[in-house]
Amino acid sequence: MTAAERDPGLQPERTRLAWRRTTLSCTVVALLAGKQALHGGATPAGVVALSLSVLAWLGFLRVANRRVQGMGTSRPQPMEVRAALLAAACTVALAVFAAAMLF
């Protein structure tokens, strides 16, 4: 079987669902970060960390949305390196900002 004859089966659908689950997880993390930042009152450091968390969340949503839309074609293209790096950076940034809000 050649690459042109490849039948991806349900793999694009599974990948699309995985991106949606990951987006939902990032949304929950961002909401919990907001709750934590505002729990003891809105301090300047908490507001900054919350703002940066929201920016990281929005960046991840953009990457995920573009990837989910790309998986809707009959022959999805591989993910771009730049998009993968941005998704990883947003995920790490959310973790760092969450840790910063705890201390």
Side-chain angles (χ1 to χ4, degrees):
M1 181 180 281
T2 65
E5 298 171 351
R6 179 181 176 272
D7 178 17
L10 294 176
Q11 185 269 330
E13 180 65 20
R14 287 190 308 267
T15 303
R16 187 176 23 251
L17 290 171
W19 274 102
R20 292 200 188 272
R21 283 190 308 269
T22 306
T23 301
L24 179 61
S25 297
C26 265
T27 302
V28 168
V29 168
L31 288 172
L32 289 174
K35 180 182 178 221
Q36 179 66 28
L38 300 175
H39 179 65
T43 64
V47 171
V48 168
L50 178 61
S51 300
L52 292 174
S53 294
V54 168
L55 285 176
W57 175 67
L58 289 173
F60 186 84
L61 283 182
R62 182 171 185 262
V63 170
N65 186 42
R66 291 188 73 185
R67 189 62 188 151
V68 167
Q69 295 301 321
M71 295 302 293
T73 64
S74 61
R75 303 218 27 104
Q77 296 296 317
M79 187 174 190
E80 297 175 5
V81 173
R82 191 176 120 220
L85 289 174
L86 182 59
C90 289
T91 302
V92 170
L94 273 173
V96 168
F97 301 144
M101 277 189 265
L102 292 175
F103 299 110

